[in-house]
């Protein structure tokens, strides 16, 4: 069935005002790429396409800014708030979306860039991996696609970038046979991964100003480069279209009106409030009542490898003696461990964990890999490593990366810090413990490089984002000092670090020091 979607008015000399129709069935087979600078009307174009095709095809919108949630009331889209679901839950939601043919908007608003990439990848993976019986046609609209398929590594983690880029590549390269038609919008083609952009056969190019972007847009549309400057003069909402779904020749068009509006809208000028100077000063500098820190429940791990290692690490159940006389004799039951043996095993755990973390690359490996290395070393030394299960190993590893060691666990103050840390999201627990250790020992505030290394990254930018995230949610409070120094307070504990340089580079700290050097297992 051929369905034409009215995208607006064609602006050619011979057909000014005529409707620019888009063949929806052809679009499902050939995909669409939209480019335009911020403010060129990309979101308006996507909204027009979604509204006009809502009654004909199932839709899924990947919305990083929460701009398309207004479609729900008018067109019946279900809004899926990503911050309320784990990655595994989003995969299940996506599978049921395809099964029941429901149009949805995945709202990623409120998540940082790293988590947006992970949650979007999980949702797209659920759509892609749906059962063959549920491969119904679906339009998958991704706004700001350069966030999920960047052309170069940024300040997000390599793991998040890898899974997100893989999901976007599957959507654009392999999604057609599964009924998925990608519609992606980006501010610049240079920001978008080439293997994602290259799979689109339809293009809508809006206003852009950089010479390289104008030249690439002209090349994609088969236009001469001397005419590329026309993209600089396009008005808001005006695009040049080309592709089998809309026009075989470059077609200027003006996008038509839409029935719904984004929540933010375009900024409008308005007069400043007429507030006296003294009143304004009081409003700004008046101290507010301190709010209690919000401690969200920790999200359970969704790593398949971590779950598998947890199952493998559980001790085998002890054999039960048979009640029947003719049954085979039971294996001898192990004797209970004495306090001395437990202390020896604990000391062996500390020594083996030192060996694991002595590797300079250990801070940047996943917990599952480190735990596997720990179990292997335990077996080679005749120590029952399986008695330290994965959750306990994770806590011990976080404490070790934070600088805690022998004797610290018996400190009641440190026990309180670990209890508070256990209520935080898993990826920031080690940062909280690192700050708690510095505050407990009245040490200078850890630098951005130390925070990044503690959370398994080399990116200082990621460390700064984590600290900002923690401060916005009341986990920490930062105070600036003289000479570009800072201290960080922990409201839940009532502790504060000494002033320290955030730009310090502890390059001598490679993770291989012993207790005498004040390394990972230095005593309190």
């Amino acid at each position: 069935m051929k369905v034409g979607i009215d995208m607006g008015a064609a602006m050619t000399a011979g057909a000014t005002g005529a409707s620019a129709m888009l063949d929806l069935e052809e679009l499902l087979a050939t995909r669409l790429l939209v480019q335009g600078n911020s403010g060129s009307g990309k979101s308006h174009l996507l909204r027009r396409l979604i509204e006009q095709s809502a009654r004909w095809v199932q839709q899924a919108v990947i919305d990083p800014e929460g701009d398309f949630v207004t479609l729900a009331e008018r067109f019946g889209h279900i809004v899926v708030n990503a911050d309320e679901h784990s990655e595994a839950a989003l995969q299940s939601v996506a599978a049921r979306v395809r099964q029941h043919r429901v149009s949805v908007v995945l709202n990623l608003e409120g998540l940082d860039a790293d988590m947006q990439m992970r949650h979007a990848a999980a949702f797209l993976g659920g759509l892609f991996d749906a059962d063959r019986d549920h491969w119904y046609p679906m339009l998958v609209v991704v706004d700001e696609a350069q966030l999920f398929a960047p052309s170069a590594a940024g300040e997000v983690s390599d793991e998040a970038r890898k899974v997100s880029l893989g999901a976007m590549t599957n959507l654009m390269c392999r999604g057609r046979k599964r009924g998925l038609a990608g519609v992606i919008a980006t501010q610049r083609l240079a920001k978008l991964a080439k293997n994602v952009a290259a799979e689109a056969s339809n293009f809508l190019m809006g206003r852009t100003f950089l010479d390289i972007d104008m030249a690439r847009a002209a090349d994609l549309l088969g236009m001469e480069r001397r005419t590329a400057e026309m993209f600089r003069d396009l008005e808001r909402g005006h695009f040049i279209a080309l592709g089998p779904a809309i026009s075989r020749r470059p077609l200027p068009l003006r996008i038509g009106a839409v029935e719904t509006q984004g929540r933010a809208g375009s900024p409008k000028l308005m007069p400043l409030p007429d507030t006296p100077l003294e009143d304004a000063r009081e409003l700004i500098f008046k101290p507010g009542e301190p709010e209690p820190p919000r401690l969200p429940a920790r999200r359970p791990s969704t790593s398949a490898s971590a779950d598998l290692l947890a199952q493998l690490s559980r001790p085998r159940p002890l054999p039960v003696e048979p009640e029947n006389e003719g049954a085979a004799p039971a294996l001898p039951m192990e004797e209970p461990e004495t306090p001395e043996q437990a202390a020896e095993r604990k000391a062996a755990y500390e020594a083996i964990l030192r060996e694991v973390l002595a590797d300079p690359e250990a801070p940047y490996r996943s917990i599952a890999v480190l735990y596997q290395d720990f179990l292997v070393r335990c077996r080679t030394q005749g120590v029952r490593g399986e008695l330290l299960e994965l959750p306990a190993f994770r806590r011990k590893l976080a404490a070790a990366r934070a600088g805690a060691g022998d004797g610290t666990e018996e400190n009641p103050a440190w026990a309180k810090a670990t209890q508070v840390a256990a209520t935080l999201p898993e990826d920031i627990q080690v940062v909280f413990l690192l700050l708690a250790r510095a505050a407990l020992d009245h040490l200078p505030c850890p630098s951005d490089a130390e925070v990044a290394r503690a959370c398994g990254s080399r990116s200082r930018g990621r460390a700064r984002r984590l600290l900002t995230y923690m401060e916005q949610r009341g986990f920490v409070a930062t105070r600036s000092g003289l000479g570009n120094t800072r201290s960080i307070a922990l409201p839940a504990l009532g502790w504060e670090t000494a002033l320290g340089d955030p730009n310090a580079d502890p390059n001598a700290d490679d993770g291989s020091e012993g207790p005498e050097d004040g390394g990972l297992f230095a005593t309190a």
Side-chain angles (χ1 to χ4, degrees):
M1 179 177 63
K2 185 172 181 179
V3 176
I5 301 299
D6 183 3
M7 294 300 297
M11 305 301 291
T12 56
T16 302
S19 296
M21 305 301 293
L22 185 148
D23 187 339
L24 182 58
E25 189 173 32
E26 186 67 26
L27 176 65
L28 293 173
T30 53
R31 298 168 292 278
L32 171 65
L33 170 63
V34 181
Q35 179 201 267
N37 288 154
S38 178
S40 62
K42 295 190 306 299
S43 297
H44 181 84
L45 184 155
L46 295 179
R47 190 178 293 274
R48 172 78 176 188
L49 174 60
I50 293 169
E51 291 181 355
Q52 293 294 312
S53 61
R55 62 186 290 255
W56 299 106
V57 66
Q58 184 186 4
Q59 300 169 342
V61 184
I62 309 300
D63 185 7
E65 301 296 337
D67 195 47
F68 291 91
V69 298
T70 53
L71 294 168
E73 183 176 353
R74 176 67 178 82
F75 293 94
H77 290 64
I78 302 298
V79 177
V80 180
N81 294 312
D83 57 356
E84 299 176 0
H85 303 276
S86 66
E87 294 165 35
L90 283 178
Q91 287 183 323
S92 300
V93 169
R96 291 192 291 270
V97 163
R98 296 216 68 183
Q99 177 183 357
H100 300 291
R101 304 188 67 184
V102 178
S103 293
V104 296
V105 176
L106 179 64
N107 180 18
L108 298 167
E109 184 183 22
L111 298 175
D112 61 22
D114 196 277
M115 296 305 295
Q116 281 190 345
M117 295 178 81
R118 292 177 184 273
H119 284 67
F123 187 80
L124 290 174
L127 297 178
F128 186 83
D129 295 333
D131 292 340
R132 179 181 290 271
D133 294 340
H134 304 147
W135 287 1
Y136 304 110
M138 172 182 265
L139 207 62
V140 183
V141 180
V142 184
D143 194 15
E144 305 297 347
Q146 74 278 357
L147 300 178
F148 309 106
S151 60
E155 293 187 348
V156 296
S157 65
D158 291 338
E159 182 183 359
R161 177 177 178 269
K162 182 178 179 180
V163 298
S164 180
L165 182 57
M168 289 289 291
T169 303
N170 282 338
L171 169 66
M172 298 299 291
C173 298
R174 302 170 56 198
R176 182 181 66 84
K177 293 184 178 180
R178 289 168 166 78
L180 301 176
V183 175
I184 56 177
T186 182
Q187 294 179 359
R188 294 187 59 199
L189 284 173
K191 291 183 177 182
L192 189 65
K194 291 183 179 179
N195 59 338
V196 173
E199 295 302 322
S201 301
N202 301 283
F203 305 96
L204 281 163
M205 299 298 176
R207 182 174 58 202
T208 188
F209 292 96
L210 293 181
D211 291 342
I212 185 174
D213 292 334
M214 290 189 294
R216 291 188 65 178
D219 288 342
L220 284 173
L221 299 181
M223 302 167 58
E224 296 183 2
R225 291 208 170 192
R226 65 172 181 267
T227 64
E229 290 189 359
M230 65 176 297
F231 293 104
R232 185 178 293 156
D233 301 327
L234 289 175
E235 298 180 14
R236 177 183 174 90
H238 286 237
F239 290 81
I240 307 297
L242 178 69
I246 187 167
S247 175
R248 298 292 179 175
R249 296 288 184 271
L251 174 67
L253 60 88
R254 183 183 68 247
I255 304 301
V258 295
E259 300 179 38
T260 62
Q261 298 294 330
R263 293 188 299 176
S266 300
K268 303 295 183 182
L269 292 176
M270 57 186 303
L272 296 175
D274 188 12
T275 306
L277 180 61
E278 292 301 322
D279 293 345
R281 186 185 302 275
E282 182 180 357
L283 290 173
I284 294 173
F285 295 107
K286 180 180 178 181
E289 297 181 0
E291 297 183 1
R294 292 169 290 178
L295 305 177
R298 185 177 63 183
R299 182 168 56 89
S301 172
T302 58
S303 171
S305 58
D307 294 340
L308 178 59
L309 284 172
Q311 295 177 17
L312 294 176
S313 65
R314 295 192 185 103
R316 294 180 179 179
L318 296 176
V320 180
E321 296 184 0
E323 298 179 358
N324 300 330
E325 295 180 358
L331 296 175
M333 298 181 65
E334 296 182 3
E335 297 181 358
E337 196 175 45
T338 64
E340 292 77 11
Q341 291 174 332
E344 292 178 2
R345 177 171 54 82
K346 182 179 178 181
Y349 284 167
E350 299 290 343
I352 295 172
L353 192 54
R354 282 195 193 94
E355 296 177 7
V356 172
L357 295 177
D359 187 343
E361 292 298 316
Y364 313 111
R365 291 176 178 159
S366 66
I367 292 178
V369 172
L370 294 176
Y371 186 55
Q372 186 178 28
D373 187 12
F374 173 80
L375 292 178
V376 171
R377 292 175 185 269
C378 285
R379 286 196 294 270
T380 58
Q381 299 184 25
V383 180
R384 297 185 60 190
E386 71 275 2
L387 296 182
L388 184 68
E389 297 188 2
L390 184 61
F393 176 82
R394 183 182 289 110
R395 292 191 296 269
K396 187 176 287 292
L397 181 66
R401 285 176 169 172
D406 298 334
T408 308
E409 295 180 356
E410 286 72 21
N411 188 334
W414 182 254
K416 180 181 178 182
T418 56
Q419 290 176 0
V420 175
T423 65
L424 305 182
E426 184 176 300
D427 54 344
I428 65 173
Q429 288 182 20
V430 64
V431 179
F432 183 88
L433 291 175
L434 178 69
L435 299 173
R437 175 64 192 272
L440 181 62
D441 294 345
H442 307 288
L443 298 175
C445 179
S447 66
D448 291 337
E450 291 173 306
V451 173
R453 187 172 181 275
C455 60
S457 173
R458 293 182 174 88
S459 171
R460 297 191 182 200
R462 184 171 184 233
R464 289 190 289 269
R465 289 197 304 274
L466 277 176
L467 291 175
T468 301
Y469 170 85
M470 295 172 69
E471 186 167 17
Q472 289 174 346
R473 283 153 180 78
F475 302 145
V476 300
T478 304
R479 178 173 63 86
S480 300
L482 298 176
N484 194 29
T485 59
R486 73 179 179 201
S487 67
I488 296 181
L490 308 174
L493 299 174
W495 302 350
E496 184 174 2
T497 68
L499 290 172
D501 183 4
N503 299 318
D505 186 9
N507 50 17
D509 180 12
D510 60 359
S512 60
E513 311 94 305
E516 64 277 10
D517 299 320
L520 291 174
F521 284 86
T523 57

